[in-house]
Amino acid sequence: MLNKRAIIFPGSGAQHFFMGKELDGFSEILDQASRVLNTDLLQFNEDKSIYQDNSPLAEVILMLTGYASFNEVNKRAPISYVAGQSSGQLTGALVSGMLTFDEAVQLTYEIAKVEEDIPLSKTRLLTCANLNIKVANKLLNRSGLKDIYFATINSPINFIFGGDIDELKKICGKVKNLGC
């Protein structure tokens, strides 16, 4: 039996960044990404306030931390499988060869810029468990609500609605009445 190893890259979160400084080649990786974005990421690396603001540059640095972590672990024990969430998906795409380094850096930055522009007061997520997706679809169609969508479908009975917070509040009561 072959010995397979997997790594899962988390999404954003400042807690994942601080280990980056300890990884071999991290400053070189930041320097390479700085050239892609025409910005000094080494300077931002020292400014912890960007992580509180969810800056697009913070997302890039966090993605690069995952990349540096992969390189470090892969040297010791080769990784067979990768997976990721949020910016971690882009890290996984980078280390698997689906994206070049420049593409991964640029794409992470561009996605984070779009997310930064979404007003948090108007957009939220509502997690639903034990609700048949067909029932949920009928509920949405009959509700007359226009700004609610299936954001993530994890299974036929577990998923996440995304959309306007006021509309999510309206449908939340109906979902609760169904025992979900």
Side-chain angles (χ1 to χ4, degrees):
M1 180 175 182
L2 295 174
N3 190 3
K4 303 280 185 179
R5 291 182 171 74
I7 189 167
I8 298 173
F9 300 105
S12 61
Q15 67 274 18
H16 305 295
F17 156 74
F18 296 106
M19 66 181 234
K21 292 182 189 181
E22 307 302 320
L23 296 170
D24 285 341
F26 189 60
S27 59
E28 290 83 5
I29 289 170
L30 288 180
D31 188 49
Q32 185 181 354
S34 294
R35 286 191 294 279
V36 172
L37 296 176
N38 199 26
T39 301
D40 184 7
L41 290 178
L42 292 169
Q43 168 195 341
F44 287 101
N45 184 32
E46 299 301 322
D47 181 5
K48 292 181 178 69
S49 69
I50 68 169
Y51 301 99
Q52 295 163 351
D53 298 337
N54 279 336
S55 160
L57 294 175
E59 281 294 319
V60 171
I61 293 171
L62 292 167
M63 186 274 295
L64 295 172
T65 301
Y67 177 61
S69 298
F70 172 84
N71 291 340
E72 187 76 21
V73 171
N74 199 43
K75 281 191 284 188
R76 296 183 193 142
I79 303 297
S80 304
Y81 305 100
V82 297
Q85 176 207 355
S86 188
S87 59
Q89 292 172 322
L90 297 167
T91 309
L94 169 60
V95 302
S96 69
M98 292 174 60
L99 292 174
T100 66
F101 181 86
D102 291 7
E103 290 168 336
V105 169
Q106 192 66 44
L107 193 54
T108 301
Y109 181 76
E110 294 301 326
I111 290 171
K113 286 291 292 172
V114 169
E115 290 172 348
E116 181 182 53
D117 293 338
I118 297 171
L120 290 177
S121 62
K122 291 302 287 176
T123 305
R124 289 285 188 255
L125 299 174
L126 171 65
T127 303
C128 290
N130 301 318
L131 176 63
N132 184 295
I133 199 160
K134 291 179 182 178
V135 173
N137 225 351
K138 286 180 186 176
L139 182 66
L140 279 180
N141 289 335
R142 292 178 184 162
S143 71
L145 302 173
K146 302 291 182 210
D147 290 320
I148 295 183
Y149 310 94
F150 289 107
T152 305
I153 300 173
N154 297 318
S155 80
I157 61 167
N158 297 302
F159 49 87
I160 298 172
F161 286 121
D164 181 80
I165 192 166
D166 295 327
E167 290 194 358
L168 285 171
K169 286 177 184 177
K170 290 176 185 173
I171 204 164
C172 186
K174 292 178 182 183
V175 170
K176 284 182 181 178
N177 288 341
L178 292 172
C180 307

